[in-house]
Amino acid sequence: MSERLPVLPTSVGVGPGFGLGDVESSESARNDRYLREIAEHVPGMAYRVHLPLEGDGQAHYSFVSPGIRYIYGVDPEQLLADARLLRRFRHPDDMAHVDAAVSAALARAAPLNVAFRIVVGGQLKWVQMSSSAVVGGLREQVRVGVVL
């Protein structure tokens, strides 16, 4: 059964010492808990990646959900330590296709949707990678997405 918390108007305090900050704090904590729950149970890998816009930068992940274990058989910490890790699983015939799709999305800060094959433990799997740009700068683009 899902937990239902009352929604209070932001201009109302309830009882002594309970003011707007308390409402925002409990709402924020609840939202954080829900977000953690989603990330831990989504049937796939959710991620946040920083991609360089210039050739000399290194990509890195700032968030990887536990769903990576189901798809790739690796721990989130492994991808956080080595952003190139997942590329090693990609089927060689799909390398150019995926690289072109990622480059095009990155160049336009456009949504990315690309299907490709990976090989994990000798088993061929199809995955769908989708992401959107959330932050752009002169040197990097931050994208959030999923691999299903």
Side-chain angles (χ1 to χ4, degrees), residues 37-96:
E37 184 178 275
I38 290 166
E40 290 173 4
H41 294 93
V42 70
M45 179 186 105
Y47 63 89
R48 185 172 194 264
V49 64
H50 303 249
L51 299 168
L53 294 176
E54 300 172 3
D56 59 347
Q58 288 286 339
H60 70 276
Y61 287 83
S62 55
F63 175 81
V64 178
S65 74
I68 191 174
R69 291 182 188 108
Y70 173 74
I71 297 173
Y72 290 95
V74 299
D75 290 326
E77 294 79 18
Q78 291 175 268
L79 185 56
L80 291 170
D82 179 6
R84 298 173 311 239
L85 177 65
L86 299 187
R87 185 176 179 82
R88 297 179 195 130
F89 292 94
R90 198 178 306 158
H91 191 283
D93 293 343
D94 292 344
M95 286 287 189

Side-chain angles (χ1 to χ4, degrees), residues 4-69:
R4 296 187 49 85
L5 298 175
V7 177
L8 301 173
T10 56
S11 61
V12 175
V14 179
F18 190 89
L20 175 60
D22 297 322
V23 172
E24 289 174 350
S25 178
S26 72
E27 206 172 294
S28 178
R30 183 184 67 215
N31 288 341
D32 287 347
R33 189 173 68 246
Y34 289 166
L35 186 56
R36 267 193 317 278
E37 184 178 275
I38 290 166
E40 290 173 4
H41 294 93
V42 70
M45 179 186 105
Y47 63 89
R48 185 172 194 264
V49 64
H50 303 249
L51 299 168
L53 294 176
E54 300 172 3
D56 59 347
Q58 288 286 339
H60 70 276
Y61 287 83
S62 55
F63 175 81
V64 178
S65 74
I68 191 174
R69 291 182 188 108

